[in-house]
Amino acid sequence: ESVMSLAVGDGGALGLIWYPDPFGAQSAYPDQLRWARVPRASDDYEPTFAFGLSLRQGLALRERIAQASEPIVVRAVVESAFNSGQGAEPWQVMVEAFIRGTEPGLGQDVVLTGHLQEEGTSANDDASGTANVLEIARAFNKLIEEGRLPRPRRNLRFWWVTEISSQRQYFADHPEASEQMWVNINQDMVGADQSQDVLRKQNITRLPATRFHFFNDVVESVIDYMVASNTSELAQAQAGSGFYPNPHLSHLGSRDRYNARMIFFHNNTDHMPFNETPIGVPGTTFTNWPDNYIHSSDDQLWNIDRTQLGRNAASVALMAYAMASADSSSVARLAAETVGRGEERVGRNLRLGLTWIARSADKVTAYFRALDQIRYAGERERLAINSLPQIHSSARRTATPLLEGLDRREELAVSALELAYRQATGGEPPEREPSETERRLSGLKPVVTAGPVEFLTGRNRIGSVPGLHSLMAFEVLNAADGERTGLEIYRFVAAEAREAGDYYYGTVGPEAVLQYLERVADAGLLRLE
């Protein structure tokens, strides 16, 4: 787009012939054709056409032009349109299949997604995900119809979509639809041959802190199982285990280990429209990264590994069925995962806080950041424990003492911070003095006033705030539930960013949070009470 502006807008060129930077990252892929785009409209000039070449083709053409004794004449034939094969009306791919549960009225549908709209060379992104959704649906249907797998309590829904946009349109067309949905599992790039190129890793996202739910721990437990089952270690060989303890291999696939990892959340794929305001359905995605073949002519079947494709399909199927089938008999096991893993998460934040107090020259600032970290961790775990009664009403009896135990552990963590501060300074922690911006935030209680229809176009009016990571802006809006003050939102989201590390989400300041909330309010989507 920037080249179009310079060449056509400023230079008066008829069109572009583009190829990658010879000194850029794509220099390692000289025959790769990258996807590119040109602007549909501009206030400064009339956009026109462009042709994309590989690096090798581009350098050869440049050399030919440099050596030519007279201008080279070309004839360009451009066939382009902004409509689809279905006509000039706006049209998006969205197909649904359904396996009805035994209690379809629960309003807790489990939705699996993959997107169809990519170009012809899109084997991994996202033919792999859409194929897995289809295969999971086929396998479930066959096993249930044959009586080999009990029909789950909840509905299983399978969506093949246009990435992000068709879900947003669907929710705008059916504003009440999300009330029937419990969780989402997305697959976007799940077939990568992990032995190629930069050894691509299968990432699976944790839930955003604002959407935390026991579902997160179902996901993590399945991934832990699949990784351990398909990893070889010296000690397990000495114990008499096989090369892989419980291998999941395809006859025509590799024998590579399962290089998968749970990571802090990101967006940019089809779980995003579920997690975002105003929908609020917890969603996770399987998305491999890094990937130098994405959006290029190299995204072909030769870089797909049937073994990794199958492992991801099996993992998603297990997560989906566990959620769809959960009942009163599942509560104890799911609570054990939620509380046990929650203890690890709180412990991680306590470690961070104690480390800051020990290392920082500014002990007061370090102490209050550490305190915010523990309060954030406690609030997130309350969301997870409070989601357990969604399984069955009997889980309320389980959740109440678990919440009381969490309160006690949170206060023990705070006591550990106070002790660390006293040992580091010889004194007691002082009273907290908020900044002027923090005082302004404390007087606000933001509440979202718009629904899916208004957000469909309104979110484009918000814009970005310099210095605020887009994912943390996403969380600021998600946290505006009408209960939290602006100050509580700031402290919660700032702690979420610190937990992941400033290299991941950057840092979150009160000024940026206030500015973002004001922008959302100016867009007519939120009220600052």
Side-chain angles (χ1 to χ4, degrees):
E1 293 185 52
S2 58
V3 176
M4 176 72 74
S5 176
L6 288 171
V8 177
D10 297 342
L14 296 178
L16 302 182
I17 300 175
W18 176 91
Y19 61 92
D21 180 357
F23 303 102
Q26 297 311 122
S27 61
Y29 313 93
D31 296 308
Q32 185 181 87
L33 289 170
R34 299 291 302 172
W35 294 9
R37 63 184 181 186
V38 296
R40 181 171 183 171
S42 172
D43 294 334
D44 302 320
Y45 66 96
E46 185 67 27
T48 180
F49 64 87
F51 289 95
L53 304 180
S54 69
L55 176 58
R56 195 187 306 276
Q57 291 171 327
L59 292 176
L61 179 59
R62 186 176 71 174
E63 182 66 18
R64 181 179 173 187
I65 292 172
Q67 294 180 0
S69 58
E70 57 186 34
I72 296 176
V73 178
V74 298
R75 176 173 175 265
V77 177
V78 180
E79 296 180 3
S80 64
F82 286 106
N83 58 12
S84 71
Q86 283 65 38
E89 290 297 316
W91 183 88
Q92 300 185 82
V93 173
M94 187 161 176
V95 181
E96 179 176 44
F98 226 101
I99 294 178
R100 296 198 179 277
T102 58
E103 300 178 55
L106 284 174
Q108 294 180 337
D109 297 353
V110 177
V111 186
L112 278 60
T113 49
H115 60 261
L116 285 167
Q117 88 290 339
E118 306 284 6
E119 295 298 326
T121 53
S122 302
N124 193 35
D125 180 21
D126 185 32
S128 64
T130 56
N132 264 7
V133 172
L134 182 62
E135 176 60 13
I136 292 167
R138 184 205 64 80
F140 274 154
N141 191 61
K142 178 178 174 62
L143 293 171
I144 291 169
E145 290 298 317
E146 292 177 352
R148 297 164 61 191
L149 187 70
R151 186 174 294 275
R153 294 177 68 205
R154 299 168 183 84
N155 297 328
L156 287 163
R157 299 172 71 169
F158 306 89
W159 282 11
W160 295 269
V161 300
T162 297
E163 192 171 16
I164 300 173
S165 61
S166 67
Q167 297 98 301
R168 285 176 170 173
Q169 185 66 59
Y170 178 85
F171 289 133
D173 293 343
H174 308 279
E176 74 293 341
S178 63
E179 297 173 8
Q180 301 300 311
M181 299 175 189
W182 203 22
V183 297
N184 165 247
I185 309 172
N186 181 55
Q187 295 180 82
D188 180 3
M189 302 195 296
V190 290
D193 183 336
Q194 296 183 339
S195 68
Q196 293 176 350
D197 194 44
V198 291
L199 307 182
R200 291 172 287 182
K201 178 173 89 277
Q202 189 66 60
N203 291 327
I204 304 92
T205 55
R206 297 186 178 98
L207 297 181
T210 56
R211 303 298 184 220
F212 225 64
H213 192 278
F214 79 85
F215 170 53
N216 183 89
D217 297 310
V218 172
V219 174
E220 293 216 25
S221 64
V222 170
I223 295 305
D224 283 353
Y225 158 77
M226 190 63 75
V227 170
S229 295
N230 294 279
T231 299
S232 184
E233 303 291 356
L234 176 60
Q236 72 192 38
Q238 293 170 334
S241 298
F243 185 70
Y244 293 146
N246 190 14
H248 294 68
L249 301 170
S250 168
H251 291 297
L252 298 177
S254 77
R255 291 178 56 81
D256 293 344
R257 69 185 179 93
Y258 186 44
N259 182 17
R261 181 186 176 199
M262 297 295 304
I263 63 169
F264 292 105
F265 93 98
H266 62 72
N267 284 331
N268 300 96
T269 185
D270 294 293
H271 66 315
M272 178 181 175
F274 291 87
N275 281 318
E276 70 186 2
T277 299
I279 304 306
V281 173
T284 184
T285 186
F286 283 61
T287 303
N288 76 247
W289 200 259
D291 197 316
N292 287 312
Y293 303 139
I294 185 176
H295 296 176
S296 80
S297 57
D298 282 338
D299 193 358
Q300 297 277 19
L301 285 172
W302 56 260
N303 77 63
I304 297 296
D305 179 1
R306 292 170 175 84
T307 290
Q308 304 298 3
L309 192 68
R311 287 168 177 165
N312 289 320
S315 298
V316 171
L318 181 52
M319 294 169 191
Y321 190 77
M323 293 299 295
S325 300
D327 58 17
S328 58
S329 67
S330 311
V331 171
R333 285 173 291 167
L334 293 172
E337 289 287 342
T338 301
V339 173
R341 292 176 185 274
E343 279 287 276
E344 295 174 11
R345 289 186 288 266
V346 173
R348 170 187 170 85
N349 282 278
L350 176 58
R351 174 178 60 80
L352 289 173
L354 292 172
T355 301
W356 297 333
I357 293 171
R359 291 182 176 180
S360 176
D362 185 348
K363 302 297 184 186
V364 173
T365 298
Y367 170 76
F368 286 119
R369 284 182 177 173
L371 181 62
D372 288 347
Q373 216 62 36
I374 296 302
R375 297 307 186 198
Y376 149 80
E379 183 176 351
R380 180 176 59 184
E381 297 314 315
R382 284 185 192 88
L383 291 174
I385 293 173
N386 277 320
S387 70
L388 289 169
Q390 296 172 14
I391 302 169
H392 192 272
S393 59
S394 62
R396 294 191 184 94
R397 295 192 301 272
T398 301
T400 299
L402 294 180
L403 289 168
E404 293 170 352
L406 174 61
D407 290 343
R408 291 191 294 271
R409 291 191 296 275
E410 183 177 339
E411 293 312 312
L412 284 174
V414 171
S415 296
L417 297 180
E418 293 171 346
L419 175 60
Y421 182 86
R422 287 194 295 270
Q423 290 177 332
T425 66
E428 296 294 325
E431 291 293 319
R432 194 166 193 170
E433 289 294 331
S435 67
E436 178 58 34
T437 303
E438 289 174 329
R439 289 191 184 93
R440 290 180 61 190
L441 284 167
S442 68
L444 302 175
K445 190 169 283 188
V447 58
V448 173
T449 56
V453 174
E454 294 78 14
F455 266 92
L456 186 63
T457 56
R459 62 170 47 89
N460 296 326
R461 298 194 298 269
I462 299 172
S464 60
V465 171
L468 182 63
H469 195 298
S470 62
L471 293 172
M472 293 298 94
F474 180 87
E475 282 290 78
V476 168
L477 185 52
N478 284 351
D481 58 1
E483 298 295 328
R484 296 182 179 96
T485 66
L487 181 60
E488 289 168 338
I489 291 171
Y490 154 62
R491 288 177 176 171
F492 184 88
V493 176
E496 183 176 11
R498 286 193 297 265
E499 182 183 27
D502 57 10
Y503 70 93
Y504 201 88
Y505 291 136
T507 57
V508 176
E511 294 79 11
V513 171
L514 178 59
Q515 185 179 353
Y516 186 74
L517 288 171
E518 290 173 340
R519 287 197 175 188
V520 180
D522 290 342
L525 305 174
L526 175 142
R527 185 171 64 249
L528 296 176
E529 296 183 335

